[in-house]
């Protein structure tokens, strides 16, 4: 006997009112469907097949390796989607077929394994995953007879007054005996409010035949489906809370986890401190003892041990050990800050490296620059790296002192131990140990203030 999982992900998701297929909406850094497929893979089935339709190519592109796909050309309902999947799977007689919707990203591998285990033990025709909801709006209700046996599932739009009050709901997740599923599915019609083939009808058909039906209950939160943007936000909050809890258990400190936004791809070490409003995205890592926030947005960036970053934006940047960034720094792609460096207040860098101990404390722009070790870039200094046509490099050596408000017109090389005078526009290379200064001689006009006052009076 093998276990085959079918993930239903062909629907458009009309209620999202979006051009993006529903299952591609991202939540905590991954599309809805990716979460579900990863949960399915975690339960270690023999085969996983995703039914795609709306935006088929785009959906297929986000799926992990080893997952099959089948296209449901017209989305004629969840029952039709499973029928299409079964055609692709071939003979499933004797197998267990687990069906999962593509829009419940909080569903865990553990629950799927529990569903499959209950099904294997009881050997009914189908084992339903159900939950209890005080407000079951939008969900199919599980209808039971007086003996408590499942009679069927009724979609909300097809319920009567009494059925609408049922709080036990079906969540589109089932373990079926393959043969029973194939037979019952062939009897499913489209006589319902939407004129679609409902997978839920399979349960009623099996029940009417007197086939045994089992059920496994889980928490309502875990099976919350996403049909609209408000539900997407709610599910996102829960996913983030789950991720944050896992990281806190790994030794990451958060003074307010509700205000820490981590994507699933982010890697953290024990001893990291995350203050409120930290957003870490994509391929980002933070090493032990680094202190981030308040207010840091970092994507595809790496922060080394003991660094401190606050009120700043990092994109494809690397912050070295014990380096300091911010407040209000923008580290753009290709920034590599060495150990013990500083990119301080209102500093922007792009494609720039700072060697160990070098500092850019205030109000500077460095683009296409390579700075050696222990150099200091004075406040307000700028690399003029773009001549309107091309970008040019600036090379600054070790132990250099760039005076405040220096314009470095690239391409340019400043040698080791060199200096530039404050306010200079440096257009030629400065040799090792030299001072490059470009300034007109300061004039002094004595009595200037009195002269102006006299002029004002004579004009009156
Ligand atoms: C479905 C269930 C309902 C359950 C609810 C919550 C049916 C008829 N209803 O309703 O009992 O309470 O989920 O989980 O099954 N899909 C396809 N092809 C289609 C139609 C849908 O692949 O032709 C996919 C969708 O992309 C989605 C999933 O199936 O991932 C569920 O479809 P959705 O429209 O969200 O169903 P609900 O109305 O929520
Ligand atoms: Ca749904």
């Amino acid at each position: 006997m093998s276990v085959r999982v079918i993930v239903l992900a062909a629907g458009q998701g009309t209620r999202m009112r979006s051009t993006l297929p529903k299952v591609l909406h991202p939540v905590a850094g991954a599309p809805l469907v990716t979460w579900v497929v990863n949960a399915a893979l975690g339960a270690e089935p023999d085969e996983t097949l995703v039914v795609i339709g709306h935006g088929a190519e785009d959906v297929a592109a986000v799926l992990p390796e080893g997952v099959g796909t089948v296209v449901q050309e017209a989305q004629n309902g969840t029952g039709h989607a499973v029928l299409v999947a079964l055609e692709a799977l071939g003979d499933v007689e004797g197998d267990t077929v687990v069906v999962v919707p593509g829009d419940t990203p909080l569903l865990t591998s553990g629950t799927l394994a529990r569903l499959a285990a209950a099904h294997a033990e009881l050997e009914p025709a189908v084992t339903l995953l159900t939950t209890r909801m005080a407000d079951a709006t939008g969900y199919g209700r599980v209808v039971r007879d007086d003996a408590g046996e499942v009679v069927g599932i009724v979609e909300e739009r097809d319920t009567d007054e009494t059925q609408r009050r049922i709080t036990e709901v079906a969540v589109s997740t089932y373990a079926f005996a393959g043969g029973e599923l194939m037979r019952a599915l062939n009897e499913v019609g489209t006589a319902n409010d939407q004129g679609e083939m409902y997978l839920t009808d399979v349960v009623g058909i099996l029940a009417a035949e007197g086939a045994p039906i089992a059920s496994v209950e889980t928490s309502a939160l875990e099976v919350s489906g996403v049909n609209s943007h408000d539900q997407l936000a709610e599910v996102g909050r829960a996913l983030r809370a789950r991720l944050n809890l896992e990281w806190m258990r790994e030794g990451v400190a958060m003074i307010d986890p509700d205000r820490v936004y981590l994507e699933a791809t982010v890697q953290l070490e024990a001893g990291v401190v995350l203050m409120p409003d930290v957003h870490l995205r994509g391929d980002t890592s933070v090493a032990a003892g680094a202190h981030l926030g308040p207010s840091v947005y970092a994507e595809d960036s790496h922060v080394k041990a003991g660094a401190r970053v606050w009120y700043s934006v990092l994109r494809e940047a690397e912050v070295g050990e014990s380096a300091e960034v911010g407040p209000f720094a923008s580290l753009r792609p290709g920034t590599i800050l060495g150990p013990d460096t500083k990119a301080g207040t209102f500093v922007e860098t792009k494609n720039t490296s700072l060697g160990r101990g070098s500092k850019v404390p205030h109000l500077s722009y460095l683009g296409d620059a390579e700075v050696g070790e222990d150099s200091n870039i004075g406040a307000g200094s700028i690399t003029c790296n773009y001549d309107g046509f091309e970008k040019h490099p600036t090379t600054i050596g070790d132990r250099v002192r760039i005076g405040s408000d220096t314009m470095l017109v690239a391409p340019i090389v400043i040698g080791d131990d060199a200096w530039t005078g404050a306010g200079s526009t440096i257009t030629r290379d400065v040799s090792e140990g030299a001072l490059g200064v470009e300034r007109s001689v300061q004039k002094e006009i004595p009595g200037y203030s009195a002269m102006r006052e006299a002029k004002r009076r004579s004009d009156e």
Side-chain angles (χ1 to χ4, degrees), residues 11-31:
Q12 182 191 1
T14 327
R15 289 162 281 182
M16 298 298 288
R17 296 175 180 272
S18 165
T19 50
L20 193 66
K22 175 167 83 175
V23 296
L24 283 185
H25 282 79
V27 61

Side-chain angles (χ1 to χ4, degrees), residues 298-321:
E299 61 182 36
D300 304 326
S301 293
H302 303 284
V303 179
K304 302 288 167 65
R308 183 192 166 119
V309 183
W310 54 329
Y311 297 101
S312 292
V313 176
L314 282 60
R315 288 168 288 169
E316 293 171 46
E318 199 180 299
V319 176
E321 261 180 55

Side-chain angles (χ1 to χ4, degrees), residues 12-324:
Q12 182 191 1
T14 327
R15 289 162 281 182
M16 298 298 288
R17 296 175 180 272
S18 165
T19 50
L20 193 66
K22 175 167 83 175
V23 296
L24 283 185
H25 282 79
V27 61
L32 288 175
V33 68
T34 307
W35 288 96
V36 175
V37 170
N38 284 336
L41 293 177
E44 300 183 342
D46 297 284
E47 185 172 0
T48 303
L49 183 68
V50 184
V51 183
I52 56 179
H54 255 279
E57 271 181 33
D58 297 337
V59 177
V62 304
L63 300 175
E65 299 239 332
V67 171
T69 56
V70 61
V71 177
Q72 181 194 18
E73 295 291 351
Q75 287 82 50
N76 294 330
T78 47
H80 180 250
V82 171
L83 196 64
V84 169
L86 288 183
E87 278 163 17
L89 287 175
D91 190 9
V92 293
E93 184 83 50
D95 292 344
T96 295
V97 177
V98 174
V99 175
V100 189
D103 64 353
T104 55
L106 286 157
L107 188 67
T108 63
S109 304
T111 295
L112 286 177
R114 190 157 63 87
L115 178 73
H119 187 74
E121 191 194 320
L122 304 166
E123 297 188 325
V126 55
T127 306
L128 311 177
L129 186 66
T130 71
T131 192
R132 305 237 166 223
M133 284 183 185
D135 176 9
T137 310
Y139 289 83
R141 310 294 204 275
V142 178
V143 181
R144 293 183 185 261
D145 63 16
D146 294 339
E149 298 297 327
V150 173
V151 179
I153 300 171
V154 185
E155 285 309 285
E156 173 156 276
R157 55 215 308 164
D158 301 306
T159 50
D160 62 31
E161 222 15 65
T162 339
Q163 290 167 336
R164 207 163 306 147
R165 283 198 294 272
I166 297 173
T167 54
E168 189 187 12
V169 301
V171 293
S172 277
T173 305
Y174 319 76
F176 289 101
E180 310 283 344
L181 174 62
M182 288 193 292
R183 277 183 293 280
L185 207 48
N186 282 318
E187 287 173 43
V188 170
T190 55
N192 52 57
D193 187 58
Q194 298 192 98
E196 290 183 348
M197 273 182 79
Y198 285 173
L199 181 60
T200 43
D201 286 356
V202 166
V203 176
I205 290 165
L206 291 171
E209 288 172 355
I213 295 171
S215 66
V216 165
E217 210 175 301
T218 191
S219 79
L221 181 66
E222 189 186 348
V223 287
S224 306
V226 172
N227 296 319
S228 55
H229 281 282
D230 57 307
Q231 290 170 336
L232 183 67
E234 207 171 298
V235 158
R237 204 172 297 132
L239 271 177
R240 284 200 311 273
R242 195 192 270 173
L243 269 176
N244 288 353
L245 189 64
E246 282 168 15
W247 282 120
M248 288 188 282
R249 291 191 174 141
E250 296 282 327
V252 172
M254 304 181 189
I255 59 165
D256 187 357
D258 290 347
R259 289 172 65 186
V260 170
Y261 307 82
L262 304 177
E263 291 190 348
T265 42
V266 169
Q267 289 302 317
L268 305 174
E269 285 181 9
V272 164
V273 179
L274 302 179
M275 302 286 282
D277 303 326
V278 167
H279 301 249
L280 303 182
R281 313 188 57 183
D283 173 27
T284 289
S285 65
V286 185
H291 192 293
L292 267 58
S295 298
V296 170
Y297 178 95
E299 61 182 36
D300 304 326
S301 293
H302 303 284
V303 179
K304 302 288 167 65
R308 183 192 166 119
V309 183
W310 54 329
Y311 297 101
S312 292
V313 176
L314 282 60
R315 288 168 288 169
E316 293 171 46
E318 199 180 299
V319 176
E321 261 180 55
S322 306
E324 223 186 296

